[in-house]
Amino acid sequence: MFHVKPRTRRLHLFDLDGTLIRGSAAAVEISRQLDLMEEIAVLEEGFLRGLTPDEFAVQARELWSALTPAQVVAAFEGAPWLAGIREVWADIRARGDRCAVISLSPHFFVELLLDWGVDSTHGSLWPAVPFTEPIHRPGILDARAKVRIARELCAGYGVDPADCVAYGDSMSDAELFAIVPETVAVNADHHLAGLSRHSYSGGDLREAYALVRNSEA
């Protein structure tokens, strides 16, 4: 009698800004609702030049002092999401695999993706909206935290890091790409050049997912 080796469970790890949201970021979409596009552009440029994620959050919280929950929802709904996100996550879960979003963006934005079928979301811990508390700097994630969270998820789901798939677009994903063998650069910048196993440019997550759907990590 033949015994079929059980399929290894995989964990798919998705970045948010620039990856699931094409050409934009949660901070940009939130700022759009507040008519603060010029101000957030300056802050984003500072981040690219070395502004730390926690300092970015402190300054963004000051910009967004008037932010309301309704504006967060409007920013989420109006963002330029890739097509096919729900379908990809449904397929991942139907295959017995797991999927998670790990982002430096505020948790109150990232967690809205739970309604789309992702297993878990992990964002920087911000005060509740509307803001009455300051930023707690230790709660703001950085690139290294992405690796830590990925390892914690692997332990929680019983998945070896060698069986993970990571999707990202920029320098904040480089450390995670360095420890995950199966990686997809999605509309990525030069920071992931040479680090990703696969590369995708386009507007449909189903096409990026197809690059790894039937491969073994």
Side-chain angles (χ1 to χ4, degrees):
M1 182 176 180
F2 293 102
H3 294 278
V4 178
K5 182 180 178 181
R7 182 178 171 275
T8 301
R9 175 178 284 185
R10 304 176 84 184
L11 171 60
H12 294 253
L13 303 165
F14 295 88
D15 172 55
L16 175 69
D17 299 326
T19 302
L20 296 178
I21 299 178
R22 186 180 185 185
S24 190
V28 173
E29 297 307 314
I30 290 169
S31 297
R32 193 186 309 279
Q33 295 298 316
L34 295 165
D35 196 24
L36 294 169
M37 293 300 287
E38 291 185 7
E39 292 83 350
I40 199 63
V42 172
L43 205 51
E44 290 275 336
E45 180 63 25
F47 183 71
L48 293 175
R49 293 180 179 276
L51 187 69
T52 60
D54 60 325
E55 182 59 29
F56 180 97
V58 168
Q59 295 187 34
R61 185 244 183 263
E62 292 305 310
L63 280 181
W64 302 342
S65 59
L67 184 64
T68 67
Q71 288 171 322
V72 173
V73 172
F76 180 88
E77 293 179 347
W81 299 99
L82 292 184
I85 294 174
R86 295 175 182 84
E87 291 84 351
V88 168
W89 290 346
D91 187 77
I92 288 171
R93 297 180 72 175
R95 291 162 65 90
D97 293 337
R98 293 286 183 257
C99 52
V101 175
I102 308 175
S103 172
L104 308 189
S105 286
H107 76 282
F108 56 73
F109 187 97
V110 184
E111 67 187 11
L112 295 177
L113 287 168
L114 289 169
D115 288 340
W116 290 13
V118 71
D119 285 297
S120 64
T121 61
H122 307 267
S124 292
L125 297 179
W126 276 57
V129 178
F131 301 132
T132 59
E133 300 291 333
I135 292 291
H136 180 56
R137 288 178 185 263
I140 303 302
L141 303 184
D142 57 15
R144 186 171 299 177
K146 284 193 170 188
V147 174
R148 172 180 57 78
I149 293 169
R151 293 190 187 280
E152 291 171 354
L153 287 171
C154 284
Y157 290 132
V159 176
D160 191 283
D163 296 313
C164 288
V165 184
Y167 305 76
D169 75 301
S170 66
M171 61 182 176
S172 69
D173 304 301
E175 291 192 36
L176 182 58
F177 272 39
I179 68 161
V180 175
E182 194 77 7
T183 55
V184 185
V186 180
N187 297 315
D189 63 23
H190 68 278
H191 291 99
L192 296 186
L195 294 180
S196 60
R197 187 169 182 180
H198 305 277
S199 182
Y200 171 73
S201 179
D204 197 320
L205 187 62
R206 289 165 293 196
E207 296 171 354
Y209 174 55
L211 298 174
V212 297
R213 184 180 186 273
N214 295 313
S215 66
E216 293 300 327

